Structure formats: C-alpha cells, structure tokens
Amino acid sequence: MTAPDSHALHLLYTEHNGWLQGWLRSRLGNSSDAADLAQDTFMRVLVARNVTSIREPRTYLSSIARALMIDRFRRRAVEDAYMTALAARPEALDISPETRLSILETLTAIDSMLDGLGERTRSIFLAVQLEGLSYVAASELLGVSVTTVKKHLICAMTHCLLLVDD
C-alpha cells in the first residue's frame, strides 16, 4: 500500500470506525460482534485497495458491513441447522473440530451458491439433490410438471457449475 493510500485508510478508520461500530451495535445488540464486524469491514477496504476513490464513506462502509452481517447470520443458521441435524441422529457421532469446520464451510458455500437461485429453482434443486426425490416425486410435491422440474434442475446445476468455475 502506498503512503497516500495508507494515510487515506488511517483517516477513514479514525473518522468512521466509532460510527460504524455504533451502527453495527444497534443492529446486532452486541458490542463484541459489532467490533469484530467493523474490523472485518476495514479489512475488506484494505484488501480492495480503493480507499482513495471512496466518495461516500458511510454508505460504502455500511454496505460492506451489511453484507458481512448477512454472511454471519447465514453461517449461524447453517451451523444451527447442522447441530440440530446431529442432535436428531440416534447414534452419537465423534467428529473432530477440523472435520466439523470443513463440513460447516462446505454447507455455507453451498448455501451461498443456492442463494442466487429463484425460490422455485432452489426448492426443486434441494428436493432432488438433498432429499433424493425422483423428478416425478419432486413434481408432485411442488405441484409442477416433470418438465418444469428438469428445466429448473438444469438451471440450478448450470448456476452452481458457473460459480465453481469462478
């Protein structure tokens, strides 16, 4: 980072960090999480290396922070669902922390991939791929034709493949 960029980042941080933490605290109800997300927000600015081109700092920072909050909420929802599924199993599983983290990261990545799909496409994809339903069973469950199931499944698979290639 060049000296002008470093100075601009320092200025941005000193002028807006307190405001950003307050903004986050009002939405999260937790000072610790607000401080963490504010720090993550400024790390994103640092990595983007575009601090000198920021014209509306609070709008820019709140936009980044909002996306980070959504990611955090999504990850927690995936973790909660995973822990609920584990608790519902009749036999206890002894999973290492590394394996658990890997599973959660994979589930979060899949959830993010599916986030870009429409509701019907997402429902069809999950019914066929996650629940193991046949095309006919999925069409009956969702009240659509088998052709619609196939069309939406192709769309979902293409979407996922394009994201994986990126």
Side-chain angles (χ1 to χ4, degrees):
M1 184 171 258
T2 64
D5 289 344
S6 177
H7 178 70
L9 181 63
H10 176 74
L11 208 59
L12 181 73
Y13 184 83
T14 56
E15 290 178 1
H16 299 286
N17 184 49
W19 168 83
L20 182 60
Q21 284 192 36
W23 185 85
L24 286 163
R25 190 173 36 258
S26 71
R27 282 151 180 79
L28 298 169
N30 179 319
S31 296
S32 178
D33 286 345
D36 287 346
L37 281 179
Q39 192 66 29
D40 291 346
T41 300
F42 283 103
M43 286 303 298
R44 289 271 174 103
V45 174
L46 175 67
V47 169
R49 297 180 179 211
N50 65 346
V51 69
T52 57
S53 65
I54 298 171
R55 300 291 171 239
E56 298 289 333
R58 290 189 175 183
T59 302
Y60 183 73
L61 293 171
S62 63
S63 176
I64 294 170
R66 186 176 294 108
L68 290 171
M69 271 193 307
I70 290 168
D71 287 348
R72 180 173 282 204
F73 292 144
R74 178 179 287 137
R75 181 171 178 86
R76 285 190 180 156
V78 168
E79 286 177 5
D80 289 347
Y82 174 68
M83 294 308 289
T84 300
L86 279 181
R89 292 182 58 92
E91 71 279 354
L93 290 177
D94 187 24
I95 298 176
S96 71
E98 295 83 12
T99 301
R100 181 176 179 266
L101 179 62
S102 177
I103 291 169
L104 289 172
E105 286 174 350
T106 302
L107 290 171
T108 302
I110 291 168
D111 185 59
S112 294
M113 282 178 161
L114 297 178
D115 193 45
L117 300 175
E119 186 58 39
R120 178 179 282 178
T121 304
R122 182 182 174 119
S123 297
I124 289 170
F125 180 82
L126 291 173
V128 173
Q129 294 298 320
L130 186 64
E131 296 175 31
L133 297 181
S134 67
Y135 293 176
V136 172
S139 72
E140 290 170 358
L141 176 71
L142 299 168
V144 297
S145 70
V146 174
T147 303
T148 300
V149 169
K150 290 178 182 179
K151 182 182 94 175
H152 283 277
L153 197 56
I154 289 169
C155 178
M157 296 297 274
T158 303
H159 175 79
C160 291
L161 287 172
L162 289 174
L163 289 174
V164 170
D165 283 346
D166 288 344

